Amino acid sequence: MTDATEHLQQRVLHHLATIYRDVEHVDDLEAIMARILATMRLDEVNSTPEHFINHWDQQDVVLITYGDSICGQQQQPLKYLHQFLDDHCKGIINSVHILPFFPYSSDDGFAVIDYSSVNDALGDWQDIEAIADDYRLMADLVINHCSSRSPWFQNFIKGSGTGSDYFMTADPTDDLSQVVRPRTSPLLRETETGNGLQHVWCTFSHDQVDLDFRNPEVLIAFISIIRQYLDSGVKLFRLDAVAFLWKIVGTSSINLPQTHECIRLLRCLIEHAVEDAVVITETNIPNQQNLSYFGNANEAHWIYNFSLPPLLVNTLVTGNCRYLKQWLMSMPPAQNGTAYFNFIASHDGIGLRPAEGLLSEEEINQLVNTMASFGGCVSWRTADHGQRKPYEINIALYDALQGTINGPDRWGEQRFLCAHSIMFALEGVPGIYIHSLLATGNDYEKLKHTQHNRSINRHRWDDQALAEALADDRTQHSKVLGHMRRLIDIRTKQPAFHPNATQFTLQLGGQLFGLWRQSLDRKQSIFSVSNVSDEPQLLNLGDINLIDNIDWFDLVAQEKVDLSGMEMELAPYQTVWITNIF
């Protein structure tokens, strides 16, 4: 046995002992450890991965998409997606997050029936592996719950077979008053089973039944799934809704210590199997709780920067960056081996929980009302003591930025591009939703058909209609895609935009949002300044301490900066990226 193998065994045993410390009837941890390592094919290892290594740089940009965001008559959707990536993203976007591509029963994929299969309406494993050959692939590990139509849950109903003891149950008389959830539906689902009436825990919906990780068999089942995904080319693992993983009656059942320990175990196994694989936690919760999922560079490699979407949209519709600056100045730099995952649009919506404590209740209500006036929907949650609070705004980002709190205006496209210019400049890895790349608006037809608020931002493009829209340079889709490609191309060539490069927030007033980024070798500086208002603003170049005996260049405008007057006028929603190396 190698020293590395012995070290791995001891680490896995330690994680298991911590996870199952208070669980009765789980005592043969060595046997569980042996099964886990055999499942991951880690019976013998020759090295121990380092925690503080960055397996990413400024060239990493992730496209977020459903497997069927583009459909047609001639071939299956995953092939259309691969063609779109090759035609429009190759050379500028190197990674793709394909949202759950498995057979499912609801929630557009997040109620998984079978984790081991590709939804045949999308394609097959060959299609997935072909994309993974050309792009760094992120896949969802929907780990908190599965579909009520899954074979596991059907065996639970029968009372026998694999899965019959995989699900979390509680008694209606239990004290569940502290449980934190993002939904208003009843927590428990009555289910007649071969073992009598059971009340199944459902954090999200009654079709999404929560798994019980107190049973080690559930953990081993998911480790087997992870091994299969690695073998199919998955390099980035998005742990969906992982904050709710461990439940204890009488507690909030969110962010529990056992949940963090499970993530540490999964990271340990994944990075021993594939050293440059990445674990990313999807924890749509208040900011400080979210930060805890970095651990000490031993939990998530990346965490979603969930506070960014509501704060950035609020900045651009109010014309004031005060709250965005306050938040950014409070954010610790991600240490090596970790990074923020920045996004401003997703398949869900603009989460509001991560804005709690950062925006006042009045600011949140103003934002909600403004988005509603732009055609958006609002999803609600049950807070403490049964209080109903807004949880999420559902709206396409292109429509969300069509105007300000005063109403729609003529600056929508510029405001939309300004939002992305800011995101591309921030510390972290940027993720772009395909419908932002394509400037897709609200899909009211899909919303009407499904009656689910999130459908408004889950449009399915017909391949021919998309081709025609992109071929016409007068459409918003063509114009935005061209601008976005250009910005990303510039970004990926700048060492100062490395996800872990130094970042300082500049103090330039309420209407100018500024950052200073410096490359890891300290050779390149970039001053990113954006006018977040609908009026021209003067930038005093002395305020950003430009040294006047060297040349400075605006990467966005592709022109030398004139220092003679030491002032620069920024048009509404204009961004400059001023650098000393170009």
Side-chain angles (χ1 to χ4, degrees):
M1 181 188 299
T2 65
D3 289 344
T5 302
E6 185 174 3
H7 178 69
L8 174 59
Q9 291 179 351
Q10 292 306 312
R11 280 187 61 187
V12 171
L13 277 173
H14 171 77
H15 291 311
L16 292 173
T18 304
I19 293 167
Y20 295 110
R21 178 181 296 140
D22 299 320
V23 180
E24 294 180 5
H25 312 303
V26 177
D27 44 26
D28 193 353
L29 297 182
E30 292 211 5
I32 297 170
M33 178 267 293
R35 288 180 62 195
I36 286 172
L37 294 183
T39 300
M40 282 293 284
R41 301 201 297 274
L42 293 173
D43 306 88
E44 191 79 14
V45 296
N46 296 312
S47 62
T48 300
E50 294 186 48
H51 282 171
F52 301 99
I53 300 295
N54 300 322
H55 296 294
W56 48 83
D57 61 22
Q58 64 273 14
Q59 297 178 66
D60 285 289
V61 180
V62 182
L63 182 75
I64 304 164
T65 179
Y66 278 102
D68 60 356
S69 290
I70 304 170
C71 298
Q73 302 300 316
Q74 304 302 316
Q75 53 189 352
Q76 290 178 299
L78 285 171
K79 289 184 171 64
Y80 281 111
L81 174 60
H82 199 167
Q83 190 64 54
F84 173 82
L85 290 165
D86 288 348
D87 290 346
H88 300 288
C89 302
K90 206 166 191 72
I92 60 166
I93 293 175
N94 67 357
S95 306
V96 58
H97 172 200
I98 305 178
L99 289 151
F101 46 79
F102 320 105
Y104 71 95
S105 56
S106 64
D107 198 19
D108 280 353
F110 287 93
V112 178
I113 293 174
D114 177 9
Y115 290 88
S116 64
S117 301
V118 174
N119 183 350
D120 57 14
L122 301 177
D124 55 29
W125 278 114
Q126 284 186 316
D127 295 315
I128 293 294
E129 289 166 10
I131 292 173
D133 285 342
D134 294 336
Y135 301 89
R136 205 174 188 198
L137 178 62
M138 183 192 297
D140 290 274
L141 193 68
V142 185
I143 195 168
N144 177 70
H145 52 263
C146 68
S147 168
S148 65
R149 287 173 47 195
S150 67
W152 288 348
F153 196 69
Q154 294 308 303
N155 285 341
F156 173 81
I157 292 172
K158 286 193 303 182
S160 63
T162 301
S164 61
D165 54 355
Y166 277 18
F167 295 93
M168 181 72 186
T169 60
D171 192 290
T173 62
D174 288 336
D175 179 10
L176 303 174
S177 61
Q178 296 181 56
V179 174
V180 173
R181 308 173 55 225
R183 297 291 185 272
T184 56
S185 57
L187 173 64
L188 300 181
R189 161 194 161 138
E190 282 192 6
T191 305
E192 285 288 352
T193 77
N195 296 317
L197 181 66
Q198 301 284 333
H199 294 84
V200 182
W201 195 294
C202 299
T203 298
F204 291 90
S205 78
H206 283 192
D207 186 44
Q208 292 165 293
V209 284
D210 282 32
L211 294 146
D212 186 356
F213 276 81
R214 294 175 304 178
N215 179 355
E217 294 299 327
V218 177
L219 176 64
I220 293 168
F222 273 92
I223 288 168
S224 177
I225 292 163
I226 288 170
R227 182 67 260 182
Q228 180 187 355
Y229 293 179
L230 285 168
D231 291 342
S232 298
V234 174
K235 294 295 277 294
L236 297 93
F237 288 82
R238 178 184 182 270
L239 306 188
D240 177 67
V242 71
F244 303 97
L245 184 73
W246 200 273
K247 295 93 174 164
I248 297 177
V249 169
T251 74
S252 64
S253 294
I254 187 172
N255 306 322
L256 296 185
Q258 294 90 335
T259 292
H260 286 276
E261 199 67 37
C262 285
I263 295 169
R264 293 183 195 115
L265 171 60
L266 296 181
R267 169 168 171 163
C268 172
L269 296 169
I270 288 169
E271 65 187 3
H272 272 85
V274 177
E275 190 169 355
D276 63 347
V278 169
V279 172
I280 176 170
T281 49
E282 189 267 335
T283 47
N284 191 355
I285 50 181
N287 190 54
Q288 290 303 313
Q289 296 175 29
N290 188 35
L291 287 169
S292 71
Y293 283 87
F294 275 144
N296 182 26
N298 62 350
E299 292 187 36
H301 294 90
W302 300 352
I303 63 169
Y304 276 78
N305 227 342
F306 274 109
S307 297
L308 179 60
L311 292 177
L312 185 50
V313 171
N314 182 72
T315 290
L316 291 165
V317 300
T318 62
N320 192 302
C321 61
R322 170 189 167 192
Y323 295 103
L324 182 63
K325 284 194 302 185
Q326 285 178 349
W327 164 70
L328 209 55
M329 288 188 293
S330 74
M331 292 290 280
Q335 60 184 320
N336 285 330
T338 66
Y340 293 108
F341 184 63
N342 296 323
F343 73 107
I344 47 178
S346 75
H347 61 290
D348 288 342
I350 302 169
L352 296 175
R353 286 212 74 205
E356 292 174 9
L358 302 173
L359 294 176
S360 68
E361 194 166 322
E362 291 74 20
E363 290 276 345
I364 289 175
N365 289 336
Q366 178 181 249
L367 181 61
V368 167
N369 291 335
T370 301
M371 295 299 101
S373 74
F374 293 163
C377 305
V378 181
S379 296
W380 301 84
R381 70 180 179 92
T382 301
D384 296 340
H385 310 296
Q387 186 182 4
R388 189 168 176 261
K389 297 189 74 170
Y391 168 73
E392 182 179 82
I393 301 167
N394 306 109
I395 189 169
L397 186 65
Y398 192 81
D399 284 340
L401 296 174
Q402 66 184 267
T404 69
I405 56 175
N406 297 316
D409 60 23
R410 63 191 179 95
W411 298 108
E413 189 171 297
Q414 291 87 340
R415 191 179 290 111
F416 181 80
L417 292 169
C418 178
H420 287 87
S421 299
I422 290 172
M423 180 180 74
F424 293 151
L426 285 170
E427 174 193 355
V429 178
I432 309 164
Y433 190 36
I434 191 170
H435 293 305
S436 294
L437 194 68
L438 297 173
T440 311
N442 290 334
D443 190 334
Y444 296 112
E445 283 299 315
K446 190 170 186 181
L447 174 65
K448 182 180 178 181
H449 175 71
T450 66
Q451 296 295 302
H452 293 143
N453 287 353
R454 287 177 169 176
S455 295
I456 199 170
N457 194 24
R458 296 179 178 180
H459 182 69
R460 287 186 182 134
W461 274 98
D462 173 75
D463 174 59
Q464 287 301 312
L466 179 59
E468 291 170 10
L470 295 181
D472 183 350
D473 59 13
R474 296 168 298 177
T475 67
Q476 68 193 44
H477 315 293
S478 177
K479 288 189 287 186
V480 165
L481 177 60
H483 284 302
M484 295 274 270
R485 282 174 50 89
R486 181 173 173 272
L487 284 171
I488 298 166
D489 184 52
I490 295 169
R491 181 199 188 278
T492 56
K493 296 172 181 174
Q494 313 308 318
F497 283 152
H498 186 290
N500 296 87
T502 298
Q503 173 175 293
F504 283 106
T505 307
L506 304 176
Q507 301 302 316
L508 303 173
Q511 283 66 56
L512 292 175
F513 176 74
L515 300 167
W516 175 62
R517 303 294 309 280
Q518 185 184 56
S519 59
L520 297 174
D521 63 8
R522 301 188 179 182
K523 292 180 179 179
Q524 185 187 35
S525 287
I526 295 179
F527 294 92
S528 171
V529 182
S530 300
N531 178 0
V532 298
S533 77
D534 57 6
E535 298 288 342
Q537 300 292 329
L538 280 179
L539 169 63
N540 185 328
L541 298 177
D543 288 344
I544 58 174
N545 296 319
L546 293 190
I547 302 170
D548 60 8
N549 62 353
I550 64 172
D551 291 336
W552 294 90
F553 189 80
D554 178 9
L555 293 165
V556 179
Q558 289 289 293
E559 63 185 24
K560 187 177 176 181
V561 175
D562 180 6
L563 297 179
S564 60
M566 290 304 290
E567 280 189 338
M568 176 185 288
E569 182 175 278
L570 270 62
Y573 306 107
Q574 180 184 352
T575 293
V576 292
W577 287 342
I578 299 173
T579 184
N580 62 320
I581 295 178
F582 48 93

